[in-house]
Each structure stands twice: as structure tokens, then as C-alpha cells.
Amino acid sequence: MKSAVILISGRGSNMQALVEAKPGLDFRAVISNRPAAAGLAWAAEQGIATRVVDHKAHSSREDFDAALARAAADFAPDYLFLAGFMRILGAGFIDRYPRRILNIHPSLLPCFPGLDTHRRALEAGVKLHGATVHFVTPALDHGPILVQAAVPVLGADTEESLAARVLAQEHRIYPQAARWLAEGRVEFRGADVVQV
């Protein structure tokens, strides 16, 4: 069975969706960069090992990345899942896990990378918004896309209402992507990734 470590910064709703879906991966640990992340308590209640690598305790991103890499390596994961992990990982960290780090982003990439995606989607007047599961590369939110889900943008939408509909899709497609990985149904073809 393939193994995984989940990285979180907050409540970890996508972490919960991954674990509860039982996609066929051994979730060995949940690691947070914030000691007070609510998701740590939930993970511990499930019997999953937890660790904290506080980014504030490190003087540089490189030092934090090195400490995070050591913590993750203790669990020898096949994959890392970023689930609301609010730190940008440097190339040195990403290179340790080539094509093995996944992220869930609340937009239809390549549209609206970075933060405030729902506000930006509303301001742009798009008719569709959504979520993307992609592999992580040093280019922020620009790695190969594995799966996306779209939701309509409604005339009465607020950031909160749109975010809620997108989050429901995140909770559906992230476990789906994890299941594909567990079943060996993901292939890279050059720079592209496909589900087979």
C-alpha cells in the first residue's frame, strides 16, 4: 500500500475528506506549520501521528523547508498532500519529492493562482469557478493538473457562498485523486499528467 503524509495549516477539512474517504493510501502522519492548527487534534483522534514544524521558529524558508523535509522523511511517504497548507515550498524541498506532492487549489487553474480566489473570480465576472488538484512544482499553482471540478457562479453569490460550493467539490475531487494514485492510475506523459 502506498503511503502519504498530509500537510496542513488550519482546520484541515480537506485532510478530513482524504482520510474519511479511505482511498487506499496509508496516511502515516499529519504535519502542520502552526502549533494551534485545529486539524492536528482531529488527526490524533483518528490515530494518525502528528508533528509540528513551526515556520516561525526558523530564520529562513530554506531552514523551514529542511526541517519540514526531515519531519516528513521520518514517515517515508510515497506522496505528500497539501491540504490548506499555507506556506510556499522552495525548489529544494520539492526536488526531494518529484511528482509526488499534490495540492488542492480553490480555482480552475491556471486562473486565479495564489490567494483570494473567490473574491477575484467574482470581480472578474467569470461564469464558472471551481477547484483544481495539481502536482506541485516550484512555480506557484502552476504544476500539472490531475483533476478539476467546476461550479457555476450565481448572480447572488458572495465570497462565502461561492467558497462553500467550491469546498464541497474540493472534498470530492481530492479523495478521487488520492484513489487514482493508490490504484496506480496516474501517469506522466512528458510534462502532462493523465488519469488512466
Side-chain angles (χ1 to χ4, degrees):
M1 178 182 285
K2 300 281 188 185
S3 63
V5 166
I6 304 173
L7 306 184
I8 65 170
S9 292
R11 73 180 190 268
S13 71
N14 273 305
M15 167 200 68
Q16 293 181 32
L18 284 167
V19 172
E20 290 175 343
K22 297 181 172 49
L25 293 172
D26 176 15
F27 291 109
R28 293 183 176 171
V30 172
I31 302 174
S32 178
N33 65 304
R34 293 181 177 160
L40 291 171
W42 186 89
E45 289 170 4
Q46 311 313 304
I48 301 171
T50 62
R51 293 271 178 91
V52 173
V53 181
D54 189 346
H55 64 277
K56 293 181 180 177
H58 299 277
S59 59
S60 69
R61 182 164 71 177
E62 291 76 19
D63 288 345
F64 169 73
D65 282 1
L68 183 63
R70 289 191 298 272
D74 286 346
F75 301 97
D78 293 301
Y79 296 102
L80 296 176
F81 288 82
L82 309 186
F85 185 68
M86 303 304 290
R87 301 297 298 173
I88 296 173
L89 297 170
F93 183 95
I94 294 167
D95 288 347
R96 293 173 187 248
Y97 296 96
R99 297 180 171 180
R100 295 191 294 146
I101 306 173
L102 286 95
N103 185 44
I104 181 89
H105 183 76
S107 81
L108 294 173
L109 293 174
C111 295
F112 312 120
L115 300 175
D116 302 316
T117 60
H118 310 305
R119 176 183 57 77
R120 291 161 57 206
L122 290 171
E123 288 174 351
V126 298
K127 300 302 181 188
L128 288 175
H129 190 44
T132 302
V133 177
H134 68 98
F135 284 88
V136 175
T137 65
L140 179 65
D141 295 332
H142 279 87
I145 292 170
L146 181 53
V147 61
Q148 293 181 304
V151 300
V153 179
L154 307 177
D157 264 330
T158 63
E159 287 183 54
E160 293 74 21
S161 65
L162 184 55
R165 287 203 314 285
V166 169
L167 187 61
Q169 293 304 310
E170 291 178 41
H171 292 170
R172 182 180 67 81
I173 64 172
Y174 217 8
Q176 181 181 54
R179 189 169 291 109
W180 290 342
L181 290 170
E183 294 172 353
R185 296 172 58 198
V186 175
E187 290 183 3
F188 278 87
R189 295 177 182 169
D192 294 325
V193 62
V194 296
Q195 181 267 324
V196 295

